Amino acid sequence: MRRLATAWLATLALFAAPARAADPAPAAQFVTLGTGGGPLTRVKRSEPANALVVNGAVYLFDAGDGTQRQLAAAGLSLHAIRAVFVSHHHIDHVGGLAPLLVTRWLLNERAPLPVIGPPGTTAMMDGIAAGYRATELAPITIGGPPIPAIRTTLAPQELSGTLDVPTLVYQDANIRVLAITNDHYHFPPGSASAIAARSYAFRIETAGRTIVYTGDSGPSAHLEALAAGCDLLVSEVIDMQAMAAVLARAADIPAAARAPMMAHMIQDHLTPENVARLAAAAGAKRVVLTHLSPGMDDETGTAGYIAGMAAIYRGPVSVASDLDRF
């Protein structure tokens, strides 16, 4: 795995654009808009959403329910959004996407917005536009110029279903974004999900720093390659003991579904020790923990999200709250 990470860094050096010494590095801030893991409505933690802010431009990485309100709370304008990156199609990561895109259209943003995500993203954008056709036909002006269709303001881009090495998927004057598949899914062979569903992590390179966002994933060799030498590793984390306790008392989860759901938690998410091993192997300079699971409002502390990390990873670790900036 270290050989893969070393090779990846060597390859990166070959095609990275040289920085001009005379240009000051732009300030790049990673804002954890929503830090709660899973499709739960909480008061203290919104669903997963993140914003990278560079030179006044905003790039979203996932957009769970409540993203627009969190953008407003962070003082970030919807008009500043330049691209949206979707790590996977679980509802807690896309629940706020449709209202955000339609509101953007309503507020006269006509440039097609890149929405970059797994296979199925184009169909999702088509479906959002079709589902809001009634909104298109409900004007908010009397007369005036014609309003373009919602679909014309969307520019979906689907990632390859096979990304085994960090691959450039977006670039503009501010950032380069590379993606790789991670290990968030374990499906029965031959199932429709095994054919269609994919989950990704992203490496964001700016002139001043490199940030890696794991998305949702279990332990993954791909993540170590993607995170090699990064300045900031933004990782999901799960307190497995607390999660088991929450599932055991969840009245809205049938008893027969609890064991399969717990199996998903164990295989497809990262414990604090998993994150520490990833950060240490990749040589990450700093770790930020988000997508806290269970992340409930009645938690009295965050010790369960960092338990055991200090013995493995020696760098600084932060447990993110909503609207934190790193």
Side-chain angles (χ1 to χ4, degrees):
M1 191 63 252
R2 287 191 175 88
R3 291 180 181 177
L4 177 58
T6 301
W8 153 235
L9 282 175
T11 302
L12 175 63
L14 292 176
F15 63 80
R20 293 182 297 173
D23 292 343
Q29 286 190 323
F30 195 89
V31 186
T32 51
L33 298 173
T35 58
L40 299 174
T41 301
R42 311 169 178 86
V43 174
K44 297 178 182 178
R45 296 188 184 277
S46 191
E47 288 190 2
N50 305 278
L52 179 74
V53 185
V54 185
N55 292 330
V58 173
Y59 305 86
L60 290 182
F61 289 82
D62 288 329
D65 186 31
T67 295
Q68 288 188 81
R69 186 178 189 280
Q70 295 300 94
L71 283 168
L76 300 176
S77 172
L78 182 147
H79 296 288
I81 297 173
R82 297 292 175 265
V84 179
F85 299 85
V86 177
S87 65
H88 63 298
H89 286 143
H90 277 165
I91 188 62
D92 56 324
H93 292 254
V94 298
L97 188 55
L100 182 145
L101 297 176
V102 175
T103 301
R104 177 182 180 271
W105 161 83
L106 184 68
L107 297 181
N108 301 303
E109 286 294 335
R110 307 306 187 204
L113 180 69
V115 181
I116 301 164
T121 296
T122 299
M124 179 177 282
M125 296 303 101
D126 292 342
I128 288 171
Y132 281 88
R133 176 58 176 160
T135 300
E136 288 182 344
L137 297 174
I140 61 170
T141 62
I142 298 176
I147 299 177
I150 292 170
R151 184 62 178 83
T152 66
T153 68
L154 306 176
Q157 174 188 330
E158 294 191 358
L159 301 174
S160 170
T162 305
L163 288 183
D164 292 326
V165 296
T167 302
L168 184 68
V169 297
Y170 178 86
Q171 183 171 7
D172 66 13
N174 291 320
I175 65 171
R176 290 160 40 93
V177 180
L178 300 100
I180 199 167
T181 50
N182 59 26
D183 289 278
H184 188 47
Y185 296 134
H186 290 83
F187 299 120
S191 67
S193 293
I195 296 169
R198 295 293 183 273
S199 181
Y200 300 85
F202 298 102
R203 181 183 179 101
I204 311 145
E205 298 173 352
T206 75
R209 64 203 296 232
T210 296
I211 302 167
V212 169
Y213 170 55
T214 65
D216 285 10
S217 180
S220 172
H222 283 180
L223 288 179
E224 185 179 326
L226 190 74
C230 68
D231 296 294
L232 181 66
L233 174 63
V234 182
S235 177
E236 72 129 76
V237 70
I238 186 170
D239 179 340
M240 206 66 71
Q241 184 175 355
M243 191 73 241
V246 168
L247 289 180
R249 65 175 186 265
D252 52 354
I253 300 176
R258 292 176 187 172
M261 187 169 291
M262 196 63 202
H264 163 68
M265 299 297 174
I266 292 169
Q267 295 182 62
D268 300 335
H269 289 283
L270 295 169
T271 65
E273 292 89 346
N274 293 148
V275 178
R277 283 190 283 272
L278 166 62
K285 296 179 178 64
R286 181 180 180 184
V287 171
V288 168
L289 301 173
T290 189
H291 193 280
L292 306 184
S293 296
M296 306 300 283
D297 285 333
D298 61 359
E299 289 179 349
T300 57
T302 59
Y305 298 114
I306 60 172
M309 290 189 69
I312 303 169
Y313 174 68
R314 304 299 184 182
V317 176
S318 301
V319 179
S321 296
D322 285 12
L323 309 179
D324 281 350
R325 292 174 180 255
F326 300 93

